[in-house]
Amino acid sequence: MLRDDSINYQYQFANLTLNTQLGTVINTQGEEVLLPHLSYQLLCALCEAAPAIVSQQSLIEKVWPNNVVGDETLKQRIKLLRKSLNDNASAPTYIEAIRGRGYRILPSVEVTPLHSSNPSVALNLATDGHLPLRQGENYPTYWKLTSLVLFTCLLLFSCIAILVSSNHHLSQPNQDSLVDVMANSLDNELYQKGLEYYHRYRQEDNRLAIDLFLAAIERDPNMARAYAGLSDAYSQGVFQFNAPSHWQQLAIDAAYKSIALAPNLAQGYKSLGLAYYNRGWLTKAVNANLKALQKTPNYSEAMSNLSFIYRELGQLKQSLNWANKALKANPKNSVSMVHKAQTLTALGQYSQARNTLDRALLLQPDSLLAKEALGHWYLHQGEFTQAWQYYQALNNQYPEQLMFLERLAQSALYLDKRSQTLSIAAQLIASDDSNMQEQGLLLQYLASDNSLNPSQLNKSQLSNSRQLIQLYQQRLSKGSDRPSDSYTLALIYSKMGKEEQAYRYLIQAINQGWLASTLIERHPIFAPLKQQASLMQLIGEIETQLTLQQLR
């Protein structure tokens, strides 16, 4: 059926009805299925083409007409749409994936043209997970009701302002028009809604936050706060949700744009600090957050970020100080509590750390950051069996969160469960996430059966070791001062039997702030080094540094 873009349509398939005039998806029980904007657009594109197969490129062009995205973004959006529709990818009811060709609506689709009356002009707000639609698109009914109320309030406010202005004989030829006021209100609503989703610290919500910030920027290209929020969301995707590595640069670019538009905006510098952190530029990240605090002295998020970064740099007193300042500014911030707990864990104050983590989880029970920190709490104490069991449970609960799978593999390696480590490493390598692929290759190399007999390494293993060494050395040469990069090189060289290089990078990691002595002493890859007195001297140096930083 040839579609006429000037009219709306109703698409009925299986137990669902999509109405483009109202912008709704209703099931046979009369319940509305709430869809984020991009998911709604994706479903519309599939319905319009039914029963034809729509290629991935065609879907990308329809759903993201003004953005450059890849196939992985589409796959994630298909996954989110299926989740909203309770569709099963292995036995689909609604959306079928045709390998190598694209996607299509599986059931037959009945199309009915809708002839609507002229719609009233209304201000539409993003609520309950929906995103604002572009010009010419349609909205759910409750959006229009909300818009009408807001429009009426704005109109009343404008009339009062005009009357007050007239009574005081003020002449303001450049005063914003009512349309400008309405537009600014919508821009701010999009931005605030984006912040709300960002602070939920969940993968799907973080993607919604990105969409909302982009929508705000599309309406106002000079909105510095929206660029800063976009930078934070990209960084959170990299740090917590295994987003593609190129998001690191997107985060930096968005932060730079925010600062260029508003040099005195503290949020821009805080966002730049977070983006720098993801690149391994920890000292630069500290300086950017300190600059944010120069602009806004009581900025709790910048304080919380400083706590986290100083902890990784091994400056635990500074870390705890900033965590306490962040909590004083915002006592119920679960993220600041997690950062404080991680510092207490690094100091060996395990009871206080656990209490703080429990409070963070009480405030936000679904916080993946807090859950991951609790697993690290087990690892840091050398309780590897408990860590293994804990990460097994998390992996079962959150199978899509590869960071829990990676931590499970690390726990298995400490327990010398090499076959399990290799099996998990293979899953990570087979994933679509480049960061997890890298970790999978590292774990696969470290867990190989002959890891403690370097002369038996085969050509493939030697090739992997060279590739990994080149990767981490390249990071260090590009300015990374992240201790974990140096520590990883120490592991690789130790496995290769090159003790001198292993010591060299282990010393570097400790000087950069690696203070987890238990993870060094108990790591099976460092077993050959334990025969040397120099290793125990390095452990002693760590203990000295920790003693100097203990709570008084």
Side-chain angles (χ1 to χ4, degrees), residues 69-80:
V69 301
D71 293 346
E72 181 58 29
T73 301
L74 175 61
K75 290 179 183 177
Q76 290 298 324
R77 184 52 56 181
I78 289 284
K79 182 178 179 181
L80 291 174

Side-chain angles (χ1 to χ4, degrees), residues 86-121:
N86 292 321
D87 202 16
N88 188 339
S90 58
T93 300
Y94 304 108
I95 303 170
E96 182 181 24
I98 310 298
R99 188 175 183 84
R101 298 182 64 188
Y103 300 89
R104 69 178 175 186
I105 293 290
L106 188 58
S108 61
V109 178
E110 181 179 336
V111 184
T112 305
L114 300 173
H115 300 280
S116 60
S117 59
N118 293 330
S120 60
V121 178

Side-chain angles (χ1 to χ4, degrees), residues 443-516:
L443 287 162
Q444 184 183 67
Y445 175 66
L446 297 177
S448 56
D449 292 337
N450 54 357
S451 61
L452 302 182
N453 188 353
S455 62
Q456 297 181 11
L457 292 175
N458 59 39
K459 290 182 179 180
S460 174
Q461 290 170 321
L462 286 171
S463 176
N464 286 344
S465 67
R466 296 191 188 101
Q467 180 182 351
L468 289 166
I469 287 172
Q470 183 180 14
L471 173 66
Y472 286 98
Q473 285 182 338
Q474 190 177 57
R475 287 182 182 173
L476 294 174
S477 69
K478 289 184 176 180
S480 171
D481 51 359
R482 196 190 298 273
S484 57
D485 290 338
S486 299
Y487 180 75
T488 300
L489 281 168
L491 284 171
I492 296 170
Y493 278 119
S494 181
K495 174 181 169 60
M496 295 176 70
K498 297 184 177 183
E499 294 183 6
E500 184 177 346
Q501 290 95 324
Y503 276 120
R504 177 250 191 271
Y505 282 104
L506 197 52
I507 292 169
Q508 180 167 302
I510 292 170
N511 286 329
Q512 289 175 323
W514 186 277
L515 302 180

Side-chain angles (χ1 to χ4, degrees), residues 23-178:
T24 58
V25 178
I26 307 294
N27 62 26
T28 51
Q29 285 74 43
E31 301 167 336
E32 182 174 0
V33 180
L34 296 177
L35 296 179
H37 171 51
L38 292 177
S39 297
Y40 173 81
Q41 290 294 94
L42 178 57
L43 185 59
C44 283
L46 291 170
C47 287
E48 288 173 3
I53 299 170
V54 189
S55 70
Q56 292 185 348
Q57 186 58 39
S58 295
L59 286 173
I60 288 172
E61 290 173 358
K62 285 179 175 292
V63 180
W64 294 272
N66 300 315
N67 295 299
V68 178
V69 301
D71 293 346
E72 181 58 29
T73 301
L74 175 61
K75 290 179 183 177
Q76 290 298 324
R77 184 52 56 181
I78 289 284
K79 182 178 179 181
L80 291 174
L81 176 55
R82 279 180 168 146
K83 183 177 180 180
S84 297
L85 299 179
N86 292 321
D87 202 16
N88 188 339
S90 58
T93 300
Y94 304 108
I95 303 170
E96 182 181 24
I98 310 298
R99 188 175 183 84
R101 298 182 64 188
Y103 300 89
R104 69 178 175 186
I105 293 290
L106 188 58
S108 61
V109 178
E110 181 179 336
V111 184
T112 305
L114 300 173
H115 300 280
S116 60
S117 59
N118 293 330
S120 60
V121 178
L123 181 63
N124 297 280
L125 302 179
T127 58
D128 297 328
H130 287 266
L131 301 182
L133 305 177
R134 295 184 175 87
Q135 185 176 1
E137 295 171 349
N138 297 282
Y139 295 81
T141 303
Y142 62 87
W143 281 20
K144 296 183 178 181
L145 293 174
T146 304
S147 302
L148 183 58
V149 171
L150 182 58
F151 180 85
T152 304
C153 292
L154 285 172
L155 185 59
L156 180 60
F157 175 81
S158 179
C159 291
I160 293 172
I162 291 171
L163 288 173
V164 171
S165 175
S166 299
N167 290 336
H168 288 82
H169 305 287
L170 295 178
S171 176
Q172 296 181 356
N174 295 323
Q175 186 178 12
D176 288 342
S177 67
L178 178 58

Side-chain angles (χ1 to χ4, degrees), residues 266-445:
Q267 188 183 352
Y269 290 99
K270 185 269 296 183
S271 300
L272 183 61
L274 188 56
Y276 278 159
Y277 171 83
N278 277 330
R279 290 294 292 268
W281 302 340
L282 305 191
T283 303
K284 287 184 177 181
V286 165
N287 293 334
N289 279 286
L290 289 173
K291 190 69 174 287
L293 287 168
Q294 289 177 8
K295 306 296 181 182
T296 303
N298 206 33
Y299 195 0
S300 63
E301 285 190 59
M303 295 174 183
S304 186
N305 288 346
L306 282 170
S307 172
F308 183 82
I309 300 166
Y310 275 124
R311 179 189 64 80
E312 191 155 338
L313 287 168
Q315 299 179 36
L316 304 183
K317 277 190 174 180
Q318 285 272 52
S319 174
L320 194 61
N321 179 47
W322 284 111
N324 287 330
K325 285 183 177 181
L327 287 169
K328 184 177 180 180
N330 187 355
K332 294 187 177 181
N333 188 291
S334 66
V335 175
S336 297
M337 286 185 185
V338 172
H339 292 338
K340 180 176 180 176
Q342 289 174 315
T343 303
L344 291 169
T345 298
L347 284 164
Q349 306 290 329
Y350 298 122
S351 177
Q352 293 183 50
R354 182 59 188 264
N355 289 337
T356 306
L357 272 178
D358 288 344
R359 291 204 308 273
L361 284 166
L362 189 62
L363 281 171
Q364 190 172 354
D366 59 349
S367 170
L368 300 183
L369 186 66
K371 291 177 186 295
E372 200 283 326
L374 181 54
H376 184 75
W377 182 80
Y378 287 119
L379 285 173
H380 200 278
Q381 298 175 75
E383 297 180 358
F384 302 124
T385 299
Q386 292 92 327
W388 163 263
Q389 294 170 348
Y390 177 72
Y391 282 121
Q392 271 189 320
L394 283 181
N395 185 54
N396 291 334
Q397 186 178 1
Y398 304 99
E400 73 283 358
Q401 294 298 330
L402 296 180
M403 64 176 176
F404 294 143
L405 190 62
E406 184 220 348
R407 292 295 194 186
L408 182 63
Q410 289 182 7
S411 304
L413 185 59
Y414 273 104
L415 291 169
D416 211 26
K417 297 176 179 286
R418 296 184 181 270
S419 60
Q420 289 96 325
T421 306
L422 289 170
S423 174
I424 298 171
Q427 296 178 55
L428 295 173
I429 294 170
S431 73
D432 294 326
D433 185 275
S434 59
N435 296 323
M436 289 296 107
Q437 290 171 3
E438 172 193 311
Q439 291 303 309
L441 287 171
L442 174 63
L443 287 162
Q444 184 183 67
Y445 175 66

